[in-house]
Amino acid sequence: MDRPLTLGYSPCPNDTYIFAAWAEGLLPDAPAVQVVYEDIAVLNRMALNEELDIVKASFHAMAYLRETYALLRSGGALGRGCGPLVVTRERIGARELNGKSIAVPGMRTTALLLLRLFEPSLSDFIVMPFDQIMSAVRGGVVDAGLIIHESRFTYPSYGLRQAVDLGEWWTGETGLPIPLGGIAMRRSLGQERRRLVEKTIRASLEHARRDEASIWETVRAHAQEMDNEVMRAHIELYVNEFSLDYGKEGETAIRRLFEEAERRGVVPPSSADIF
């Protein structure tokens, strides 16, 4: 390949922390890469159009990508206590969302997949950028909001209340960590290049942990108005042992999510493997 690999991920601190060393050319022998920063909903669409070689994608979107993209075992977001939340202005029960309008960050996000598994009867979804959802709920534009990323740390400052923690629900139902998003790579690039990219992602994360000062300005530059305390909490929550390698438990959780989604008809079945 005589061109850089195209790599798309979000400007959120967990992604930039993992990939900064690679993106900034701090890793010897790493393949050349051209980075695209976009919101996860945009990245999902780009992947569905096969516009990127390597892409951070929601696991929901992976259900529609697995014939052309393979899930890599490094760089993803999976864990406990890190799931999407449904928030409202007034305190309501988790099962009182029927008939409510709900702002969601995208129709192919794992957050929405989990919400549909939690309560299949919900249908009044309004798509908007994830960073506009809390304001929309506070302003009465919608009845509830499905929030992701750093919003789980900041929603109380909007005067909002948690109606349901979908990660807590998933782990309570399955005993497994919650899969949120993974790194996918075009299958046409081959196994050898896939192994090199997985090795590079692990090396990039290890570099960040070993020499955080060398990548912190890159992380800070893409964090918008997020303060250091929220940024640090965001990284600590979403970057964990599963980010280096899903391992057996992580793979089990991912496969269980797909099995449940297919069984309930939320995503179409496929004979293609995820990995």
Side-chain angles (χ1 to χ4, degrees):
M1 184 177 248
D2 57 1
R3 64 168 177 82
L5 293 166
T6 52
L7 167 63
Y9 54 88
S10 83
C12 293
N14 61 304
D15 285 342
T16 53
Y17 185 89
I18 290 171
F19 289 103
W22 186 10
E24 296 298 322
L26 302 179
L27 304 177
D29 304 320
V33 68
Q34 177 183 338
V35 177
V36 175
Y37 297 97
E38 290 289 357
D39 175 74
I40 190 65
V42 176
L43 292 171
N44 287 340
R45 289 197 298 270
M46 294 181 77
L48 289 166
N49 292 328
E50 298 184 53
E51 296 176 30
L52 296 165
D53 297 319
I54 309 159
V55 59
K56 173 72 174 287
S58 302
F59 280 112
H60 191 174
M62 277 301 301
Y64 302 86
L65 296 171
R66 48 190 154 171
E67 293 188 4
T68 52
Y69 284 84
L71 182 65
L72 303 185
R73 295 180 179 275
S74 305
L78 188 151
R80 291 180 168 84
C82 61
L85 308 177
V86 179
V87 296
T88 57
R89 292 184 304 282
E90 305 298 329
R91 187 180 302 279
I92 67 171
R95 299 294 180 178
E96 297 178 66
L97 293 169
N98 282 295
K100 307 291 186 184
S101 59
I102 305 173
V104 301
M107 295 303 292
R108 292 286 182 262
T109 56
T110 308
L112 183 55
L113 171 60
L114 288 165
L115 183 58
R116 292 181 66 192
L117 292 177
F118 172 77
E119 183 49 78
S121 64
L122 298 176
S123 61
D124 190 1
F125 303 125
I126 300 170
V127 176
M128 61 180 63
F130 82 91
D131 57 354
Q132 296 178 19
I133 290 176
M134 291 186 295
S135 293
V137 179
R138 180 177 60 185
V141 177
V142 291
D143 298 319
L146 179 59
I147 61 172
I148 57 175
H149 301 325
E150 66 272 11
S151 299
R152 68 176 292 120
F153 303 110
T154 58
Y155 75 87
S157 68
Y158 286 74
L160 304 180
R161 303 171 183 271
Q162 176 185 306
V164 58
D165 183 328
L166 291 167
E168 184 178 277
W169 166 76
W170 169 264
T171 298
E173 290 284 308
T174 66
L176 295 166
I178 174 65
L180 297 171
I183 309 302
M185 183 170 177
R186 290 166 60 97
R187 292 186 184 276
S188 61
L189 293 171
Q191 288 281 357
E192 183 177 350
R193 191 171 282 115
R194 190 191 310 179
R195 287 192 291 270
L196 173 60
V197 168
E198 286 182 326
K199 178 181 177 181
T200 301
I201 294 171
R202 287 193 293 270
S204 188
L205 175 51
E206 288 167 346
H207 178 100
R209 287 176 167 171
R210 183 175 63 252
D211 184 11
E212 190 175 272
S214 68
I215 57 92
W216 194 252
E217 283 307 310
T218 299
V219 177
R220 172 77 266 169
H222 293 283
Q224 301 176 351
E225 300 302 318
M226 199 182 305
D227 64 37
N228 283 329
E229 184 177 342
V230 172
M231 190 164 65
R232 178 69 63 189
H234 186 107
I235 292 168
E236 290 177 355
L237 183 62
Y238 294 107
V239 181
N240 51 43
E241 69 275 15
F242 296 113
S243 303
L244 278 174
D245 191 290
Y246 291 130
K248 183 177 180 181
E249 184 180 31
E251 181 175 340
T252 298
I254 293 165
R255 293 192 184 281
R256 175 70 179 273
L257 181 66
F258 276 72
E259 289 167 4
E260 291 294 326
E262 288 181 4
R263 183 175 66 83
R264 302 188 197 190
V266 179
V267 303
S270 173
S271 59
D273 192 18
I274 308 164
F275 293 93

